[in-house]
Amino acid sequence: RRNCRGNPNCLVGIGEHVWLGEIDENSFHNIDDPNCERRKKDTFVGLTNLGATCYVNTFLQMWFLNLELRQALYMCPSTSTEYAAGKGIPKDKDYEPRTICEHLQYLFALLQNSKRRYIDPSGFVKALGLDTGQQQDAQEFSKLFMSLLEDTLSKEKNPAVQNIVQKQFCGKYAYVTVCNQCGRESKLMSKFYELELNIQGHNQLTDCITEFLKEEKLEGDNRYYCETCQSKQNATRKIRLLSLPCTLNLQLMRFLFDRQTGLKKKLNTYISFSELLDMEPYMEQKNGVYMYELSAVLIHRGMSAYSGHYIAQVKDPQTGEWYKFNDEDIEKMEGKKLQLGIDEDLAEPSKSQTRKPKCRKGTHCSRSAYMLVYRLQTQEKSLTIEVPAFLQELVERDNCKFEEWCNEMAEMRKQSVARGKIKHEEVKELYKRLPAEAGSPYDFISLEWLQKWLDESTPPKPIDNTACLCSHGKLHPDKISSMKRISGYVADFFYRTYGGGPRLNVKALCKDCVVERCRILRLKNQLNKDYKTVTDLLKITVKGNDGFWVGKASLRGWRQLALEQLHEQDEDSEHSNGKMNGNAQNKDESNEDKREEEEELNFNKDIVCPHGDLCISKNERRVVSKEAWEKLKQYFPKAPEFPNNRECCSQCKVLEREGQQNQALHKMMANEQKASLQNLFHDKCRPCLGSWPEETDELYIVSQFFVEEWMKFVRRPTRCSPVSSVGNSALLCPHGGLMFTYASMTKDDSKLIALIWPSEWERIQNLFIVDHVIKITRTQVAGVDPESALYSSEPQLCTECREGLLCQQERDLREYSQATIYIHKVVDNKKVMKDAAPELNVSSSEAEEEREETKPEGEQDPDFNQTSGGTKRRKISHQSYVTYQKQGIRRSSRHRKVRGEKALLVSANQTLKELKIQIMHAFSVAPFDQTLSLNGKILSDDTATLGSLGVIPESVILLKADEPIADYAAMDNIMHVSMREEGFKGTGLLGH
């Protein structure tokens, strides 16, 4: 049942249903049962997944269940000086393994005798230097760790420990090459720790082994050089298995490298394998025992090589029972049988699943298994392994900590239950007496506080009623809807138990505020009637001089203004109440808001001129009847009053005449200047430094800012002020030298200057104030190529200030923040050419003018309607060179986006890797699929900053997307995959 929020007497649906009736004790706390973290009987201990370390956990569990390996590791002596001296491990000091063998020892001891449901392998992972947030190649990890372990154990003195890796995992085979000409046979012996089997095109394990050992023909360019024949001959080559280890690791090559895309991909094909594997047919010598039984299957869930989850199903060698190891969770398989069905279903979405082939008894099919482990049947299974004393001491110490934690959690649960029971009885008793009976004392209390009191998850705070008070310090009538009326008995208990205040009893309701509310309600009702009356009166035409002038804008919104005035006092009172409650706004802000509101509430001020008289514009006002004005005056007694016969402001009339004269003068001035400076008006007629005109050896320079301001005035003389000064000082440094070289003025700085013909320069000197004359002179040498002419400027270039400006611009380009760059996606390997997308390479030389408003009649000029090019040139300040220098980055031509292009906000200090992640979200292209280039240069260093790579604001970066991986929907889950695969580079696995 819902609560009636506007009814202070409704006490239903405020959270009481949680406490009424019988309650489960578990609802009194949010603490899980610590026994759920306890290891179950006859099961194994799990391993915590530290982020993306499931591949490590699967191998640790598999190696732990190799009893011979575990026993050999336990025999390794400890390097702890305290234990070696017979002192034991100090109780006040945490054990810190020093070698990888000690880490593995300690982990195996905990996995064997810990009371926890799962343990934390972070010490082992940290010792190897693995990145816990990056999923690595599980097969590569297995190889590297076995190599590291073998190298470490080889330094031990005990032979049983020294050679355990070779005895358990190492086999031998030979590469045998036979010359077809003379029959000479050469052998190359090699050790192996696993057989890497190609599964592409196969569906049975035995076929994969056969292909691994099949004969290869060496012919043509691949012929073999025979020592006997002393020449290259056709030959055959194959692998012969010489000896097999006790534990045979078969790597199914599901993860392949695609040379076309440069990425790994996963083969999700079914492979069938039997529980018993007879390797005798594949051996060179047939007189040994080569019957193996399946002991572990390592599984990769997921369709992509870059994401997914690793688990393992391993058989307990002592009981023969199968267990599924999934990080913290260990599940025992029923009937001592391997069960792969559930994990296969999770490998691929149900809609695209291929049909699983039928398997005969003793055979299994899997599309997710990437490693099969077989053990020789003669291996001893009843091996009893005892944990060494010093390791057992460490395990017992950890078990004691676990028991202490369990007891602490149990005690906290017990205390929470006890508090919950007390609260339960309290709520049940008080809720019955919560409603206030007729004639009995009562209090108002916040609904929000009552709900928190009934919320079991948050202990209630002291009662705070200050937010419900009016400016008179009593209960505000508008706050009644958020309050509940409760009995005085329960209120006494609440204030006695939880404190707070002030108490709002039967006399707390503010009578003054209630009376004010009633007045406002009556005024609102009257306002509705008066609004209809005024609307009818406005329809009557006023005759003679009996009416009054009223602003049209005021008439449109007078009803709303009147309503706002009615609420003005309430808002003032709420502001003062806010100060009492500690919610006061800044005093200056409050005063400013109040002034703005007063300006908005001034009725008829829209027809008052700046001199305080009636405005001259008749379009903004109209005449209303005397009756209508009197009605309006009731609501706006201070409104300015203008009878119908009132003359307009005489000062405004004079200003209007002067303005009309100025507009006419400006039009005439603009027409004269436009006629005198035709070449300056049409920028295509101006000279260009890149192709110096033959008819003159002198050109003059003005700032582009002057030209743009003059063009605005000429085009809109009635709206823009005339230009009086050329303002060439902005092009000069404080020493009076020119800031630009001749070469820069023909390229980048051409956007900042405009060239003037000598004939027009004379007219400019007559029309404007010229503060500085800037001239470029060409000097031609007789008999020399005209292109080798010399150019000089007056004033001359200031080298010092020019270098300072270039350094400042270069620094600004490398220190930008939140600047825009453009990413252009290249489709079908097509390069972006100038002809195909000119916006990417060149920019127009035309100046983009501001959007023009609709011009009044008489201001249309065909010369004014020329199409502008689209780039906005930089305006140079008239202040000084210092001001010019502070402007920072020179704005390049506005870039217009083309199809397949998106704008991104970047900073100079962010890395290329961070940019690739932005691009991934914008284009749905994974970071490792991105090939980025800037100005023909490939951007490949993911750790470099954009500033160091030469990426500046408005840069256009080309994006080429490589072929996507199969599981593209999982892209958001693989952001942690590095752009360039570095594998285990930098980890302890490569330290040996």
Side-chain angles (χ1 to χ4, degrees):
R1 295 169 61 187
R2 292 184 302 174
N3 181 257
C4 304
R5 296 187 68 87
N7 183 0
N9 295 315
C10 181
L11 299 171
V12 176
I14 60 176
E16 75 286 351
H17 61 280
V18 178
W19 301 95
L20 301 180
E22 296 300 324
I23 295 184
D24 182 10
E25 288 186 358
N26 290 326
S27 64
F28 291 135
H29 59 77
N30 57 358
I31 303 172
D32 293 332
D33 186 357
N35 289 320
C36 294
E37 303 300 307
R38 194 180 295 277
R39 178 182 184 176
K40 294 180 182 178
K41 187 178 180 181
D42 298 330
T43 189
F44 292 100
V45 177
L47 290 165
T48 303
N49 190 336
L50 305 175
T53 56
C54 51
Y55 69 98
V56 179
N57 293 345
T58 56
F59 280 104
L60 285 175
Q61 296 285 12
M62 186 185 72
W63 293 329
F64 170 73
L65 286 175
N66 187 309
L67 303 183
E68 292 79 11
L69 177 63
R70 194 198 318 172
Q71 187 177 50
L73 284 170
Y74 284 164
M75 294 168 65
C76 291
S78 172
T79 59
S80 172
T81 55
E82 293 90 349
Y83 185 80
K87 300 178 182 178
I89 306 298
K91 293 185 177 180
D92 58 343
K93 184 179 179 182
D94 290 334
Y95 175 63
E96 296 181 0
R98 299 180 182 180
T99 66
I100 198 65
C101 287
E102 290 185 359
H103 276 286
L104 209 52
Q105 275 183 337
Y106 186 43
L107 263 181
F108 282 3
L110 289 172
L111 287 173
Q112 185 168 337
N113 290 337
S114 177
K115 293 183 178 180
R116 300 177 185 268
R117 185 171 68 87
Y118 53 85
I119 60 174
D120 184 359
S122 56
F124 173 77
V125 172
K126 186 177 180 180
L128 291 177
L130 301 178
D131 183 354
T132 58
Q134 182 170 332
Q135 193 176 87
Q136 295 280 16
D137 188 318
Q139 295 170 338
E140 185 182 4
F141 169 75
S142 171
K143 294 177 188 177
L144 292 174
F145 184 78
M146 274 294 128
S147 177
L148 174 63
L149 186 63
E150 181 182 13
D151 183 67
T152 306
L153 294 179
S154 65
K155 301 171 185 176
E156 297 292 332
K157 297 178 181 179
N158 189 339
V161 178
Q162 191 179 56
N163 302 317
I164 185 62
V165 174
Q166 291 92 328
K167 287 181 180 179
Q168 282 296 309
F169 305 104
C170 184
K172 292 182 181 179
Y173 55 60
Y175 287 98
V176 180
T177 306
V178 179
C179 176
N180 290 355
Q181 181 68 26
C182 66
R184 181 181 181 273
E185 184 177 281
S186 65
K187 291 184 179 180
L188 177 63
M189 310 295 290
S190 180
K191 293 181 180 180
F192 70 88
Y193 293 88
E194 65 276 314
L195 297 180
E196 297 182 349
L197 305 179
N198 174 39
I199 65 172
Q200 198 164 13
H202 301 296
N203 53 21
Q204 292 187 2
L205 177 64
T206 52
D207 294 339
C208 300
I209 299 175
T210 301
E211 187 199 2
F212 180 76
L213 300 173
K214 77 175 181 180
E215 190 174 84
E216 177 189 2
K217 292 183 179 181
L218 304 179
E219 298 174 341
D221 294 337
N222 200 26
R223 286 184 300 170
Y224 162 72
Y225 183 83
C226 178
E227 295 288 343
T228 302
C229 300
Q230 291 294 306
S231 62
K232 284 190 174 183
Q233 300 291 339
N234 291 340
T236 58
R237 176 179 292 169
K238 64 178 180 179
I239 296 174
R240 292 180 185 173
L241 293 177
L242 304 178
S243 65
L244 296 177
C246 299
T247 302
L248 180 61
N249 294 326
L250 302 179
Q251 298 276 14
L252 305 183
M253 304 302 290
R254 289 200 178 275
F255 304 108
L256 302 180
F257 182 77
D258 190 338
R259 293 183 180 276
Q260 292 183 349
T261 63
L263 301 171
K264 287 191 300 182
K265 66 178 181 180
K266 182 182 178 184
L267 298 177
N268 293 289
T269 54
Y270 278 106
I271 292 292
S272 64
F273 50 91
S274 61
E275 293 186 6
L276 292 177
L277 179 63
D278 186 5
M279 292 294 291
E280 185 175 3
Y282 309 106
M283 299 300 296
E284 185 177 32
Q285 297 180 358
K286 311 292 185 179
N287 57 354
V289 179
Y290 300 111
M291 184 60 71
Y292 284 82
E293 61 179 356
L294 188 65
S295 66
V297 180
L298 275 63
I299 296 167
H300 174 264
R301 290 177 177 172
M303 300 299 294
S304 167
Y306 291 94
S307 62
H309 182 57
Y310 290 95
I311 64 169
Q313 292 202 26
V314 188
K315 183 164 69 172
D316 183 357
Q318 295 178 318
T319 64
E321 294 176 324
W322 283 88
Y323 290 84
K324 180 162 71 175
F325 294 87
N326 185 5
D327 293 332
E328 296 92 343
D329 300 321
I330 312 296
E331 181 184 354
K332 183 179 179 180
M333 302 289 101
E334 295 181 1
K336 295 186 177 182
K337 293 182 180 179
L338 175 65
Q339 298 176 13
L340 298 174
I342 298 176
D343 299 316
E344 295 302 315
D345 294 341
L346 294 172
E348 185 177 7
S350 57
K351 291 183 179 179
S352 58
Q353 278 190 2
T354 54
R355 190 171 182 179
K356 181 180 179 180
K358 292 183 179 180
C359 298
R360 64 179 183 272
K361 188 176 181 180
T363 304
H364 303 276
C365 294
S366 173
R367 66 184 311 171
S368 302
Y370 68 92
M371 183 172 176
L372 304 176
V373 181
Y374 285 88
R375 287 178 59 81
L376 203 59
Q377 277 193 330
T378 57
Q379 288 289 101
E380 187 178 354
K381 299 180 181 179
S382 59
L383 190 63
T384 303
I385 302 175
E386 297 291 336
V387 178
F390 83 97
L391 288 174
Q392 184 59 33
E393 180 184 344
L394 294 172
V395 173
E396 290 175 357
R397 185 183 299 180
D398 183 74
N399 287 337
C400 288
K401 290 181 180 178
F402 176 67
E403 292 294 344
E404 290 175 2
W405 177 82
C406 289
N407 294 333
E408 183 181 347
M409 292 297 104
E411 183 62 27
M412 290 175 63
R413 281 167 58 96
K414 186 178 178 180
Q415 293 176 2
S416 296
V417 169
R419 287 194 298 268
K421 287 182 177 180
I422 295 172
K423 180 71 176 287
H424 183 212
E425 295 302 320
E426 173 188 311
V427 171
K428 284 179 68 176
E429 176 64 25
L430 291 177
Y431 186 75
K432 294 177 183 177
R433 308 187 64 170
L434 197 60
E437 298 179 359
S440 301
Y442 62 84
D443 273 62
F444 287 99
I445 199 163
S446 166
L447 171 61
E448 182 183 5
W449 188 91
L450 271 179
Q451 290 173 332
K452 288 183 179 178
W453 174 66
L454 291 167
D455 185 0
E456 55 186 339
S457 62
T458 57
K461 297 179 180 179
I463 301 168
D464 184 9
N465 290 326
T466 53
C468 304
L469 302 181
C470 68
S471 58
H472 311 106
K474 294 189 175 183
L475 179 59
H476 200 294
D478 288 349
K479 302 293 183 180
I480 291 292
S481 60
S482 61
M483 309 291 287
K484 293 298 177 184
R485 192 168 69 97
I486 63 174
S487 65
Y489 172 83
V490 177
D492 291 339
F493 176 84
F494 283 160
Y495 285 106
R496 186 169 61 251
T497 306
Y498 303 107
R503 290 192 65 163
L504 303 176
N505 54 25
V506 65
K507 298 181 180 179
L509 189 61
C510 182
K511 183 178 179 181
D512 295 339
C513 290
V514 172
V515 170
E516 181 63 18
R517 282 291 170 275
C518 295
R519 185 185 71 83
I520 290 176
L521 286 173
R522 286 196 298 270
L523 288 175
K524 283 183 179 179
N525 292 332
Q526 184 62 37
L527 176 61
N528 292 332
K529 296 178 182 178
D530 289 343
Y531 179 74
K532 294 179 181 179
T533 303
V534 171
T535 303
D536 293 336
L537 290 173
L538 292 177
K539 297 176 182 178
I540 302 173
T541 304
V542 181
K543 298 178 181 179
N545 295 327
D546 294 337
F548 292 83
W549 287 109
V550 179
K552 291 181 179 179
S554 294
L555 280 176
R556 285 193 298 269
W558 79 269
R559 184 185 183 186
Q560 185 62 32
L561 288 172
L563 282 172
E564 290 176 5
Q565 281 193 160
L566 291 177
H567 293 298
E568 194 176 18
Q569 292 181 357
D570 295 336
E571 291 173 0
D572 290 341
S573 65
E574 286 195 13
H575 279 306
S576 61
N577 183 34
K579 294 175 184 178
M580 292 176 59
N581 299 336
N583 300 322
Q585 296 179 342
N586 182 282
K587 187 175 181 181
D588 295 336
E589 293 180 1
S590 300
N591 293 336
E592 185 178 345
D593 293 342
K594 192 172 180 180
R595 283 195 299 271
E596 291 178 358
E597 290 171 2
E598 286 177 354
E599 291 175 4
E600 293 174 358
L601 295 176
N602 286 333
F603 179 79
N604 221 25
K605 279 292 182 101
D606 50 328
I607 61 172
V608 178
C609 73
H611 311 106
D613 212 337
L614 183 63
C615 68
I616 59 177
S617 176
K618 291 188 177 181
N619 292 330
E620 298 176 3
R621 49 191 168 94
R622 63 165 289 185
V623 178
V624 301
S625 64
K626 184 178 180 181
E627 293 81 3
W629 177 250
E630 289 176 352
K631 284 286 183 184
L632 293 172
K633 284 285 283 186
Q634 292 177 7
Y635 294 96
F636 310 105
K638 296 181 180 179
E641 185 175 300
F642 299 109
N644 191 8
N645 56 4
R646 181 73 168 266
E647 289 292 330
C648 297
C649 177
S650 57
Q651 297 182 55
C652 289
K653 288 180 179 180
V654 173
L655 292 174
E656 184 183 28
R657 285 193 296 270
E658 292 177 353
Q660 291 172 350
Q661 292 171 1
N662 287 337
Q663 286 186 0
L665 183 62
H666 286 175
K667 282 184 179 181
M668 184 174 64
M669 185 186 303
N671 291 332
E672 290 177 356
Q673 292 181 2
K674 177 186 172 184
S676 300
L677 304 173
Q678 280 291 322
N679 292 329
L680 182 62
F681 183 79
H682 301 287
D683 60 348
K684 292 182 180 179
C685 300
R686 298 177 203 156
C688 176
L689 288 180
S691 55
W692 189 284
E694 293 295 329
E695 55 266 31
T696 181
D697 289 329
E698 289 183 351
L699 291 175
Y700 292 86
I701 292 177
V702 295
S703 71
Q704 184 63 33
F705 177 74
F706 159 74
V707 176
E708 290 177 355
E709 292 299 308
W710 176 75
M711 295 275 282
K712 287 180 185 178
F713 167 69
V714 171
R715 289 177 174 176
R716 296 188 291 272
T718 59
R719 295 194 182 100
C720 300
S721 300
V723 180
S724 59
S725 173
V726 171
N728 271 352
S729 59
L731 303 178
L732 305 178
C733 73
H735 312 111
L738 187 62
M739 287 299 301
F740 313 109
T741 63
Y742 175 79
S744 71
M745 286 189 288
T746 63
K747 296 178 182 178
D748 294 341
D749 292 331
S750 62
K751 304 179 183 68
L752 308 178
I753 63 169
L755 296 175
I756 307 297
W757 295 100
S759 58
E760 281 202 332
W761 178 251
E762 295 178 2
R763 292 193 286 272
I764 286 177
Q765 287 181 310
N766 295 330
L767 294 172
F768 308 99
I769 299 173
V770 178
D771 51 353
H772 295 281
V773 177
I774 303 177
K775 182 171 66 173
I776 299 291
T777 305
R778 178 179 64 175
T779 305
Q780 291 182 324
V781 181
V784 181
D785 186 3
E787 294 184 358
S788 303
L790 302 176
Y791 298 93
S792 59
S793 65
E794 296 180 14
Q796 295 181 349
L797 174 72
C798 181
T799 307
E800 180 182 354
C801 292
R802 174 66 182 176
E803 290 177 354
L805 174 64
L806 293 176
C807 291
Q808 178 66 36
Q809 289 178 343
E810 187 71 19
R811 187 160 51 250
D812 289 342
L813 286 174
R814 297 291 181 264
E815 297 177 357
Y816 56 86
S817 176
Q818 293 297 299
T820 300
I821 65 170
Y822 299 92
I823 309 298
H824 184 82
K825 188 175 181 181
V826 181
V827 183
D828 298 333
N829 295 324
K830 293 181 182 177
K831 295 182 179 179
V832 178
M833 305 297 291
K834 289 186 178 181
D835 296 338
E839 295 87 345
L840 298 177
N841 304 283
V842 296
S843 58
S844 172
S845 62
E846 295 289 322
E848 180 185 334
E849 294 298 330
E850 298 175 359
R851 185 177 298 171
E852 296 189 26
E853 301 175 13
T854 305
K855 299 181 180 180
E857 188 177 353
E859 213 172 303
Q860 299 291 343
D861 188 327
D863 291 335
F864 296 162
N865 297 329
Q866 296 177 354
T867 305
S868 60
T871 56
K872 194 167 186 178
R873 293 179 179 167
R874 181 183 180 184
K875 299 176 182 178
I876 303 178
S877 169
H878 284 272
Q879 299 301 320
S880 64
Y881 159 69
V882 177
T883 307
Y884 168 75
Q885 195 177 31
K886 286 182 179 178
Q887 291 178 358
I889 302 172
R890 179 177 58 79
R891 286 182 291 169
S892 63
S893 299
R894 188 182 70 178
H895 179 81
R896 290 187 291 177
K897 291 196 296 182
V898 296
R899 186 177 180 183
E901 185 173 292
K902 293 184 180 180
L904 298 179
L905 288 177
V906 298
S907 300
N909 59 355
Q910 78 178 66
T911 63
L912 182 63
K913 183 174 183 178
E914 292 170 338
L915 173 63
K916 286 186 174 181
I917 292 174
Q918 282 184 264
I919 294 173
M920 184 187 75
H921 291 298
F923 287 92
S924 297
V925 178
F928 44 78
D929 286 333
Q930 299 173 19
T931 301
L932 304 179
S933 61
L934 176 66
N935 300 327
K937 179 184 176 183
I938 300 296
L939 306 180
S940 58
D941 188 356
D942 295 321
T943 61
T945 63
L946 299 186
S948 65
L949 292 172
V951 179
I952 63 175
E954 302 291 321
S955 291
V956 179
I957 295 178
L958 300 185
L959 162 66
K960 182 182 180 303
D962 295 329
E963 290 296 322
I965 59 177
D967 190 17
Y968 216 66
M971 183 172 56
D972 285 339
N973 298 327
I974 57 174
M975 284 177 57
H976 60 274
V977 178
S978 61
M979 306 333 154
R980 289 182 304 172
E981 286 195 57
E982 297 184 352
F984 294 97
K985 180 180 177 182
T987 68
L989 290 171
L990 299 178
H992 64 291

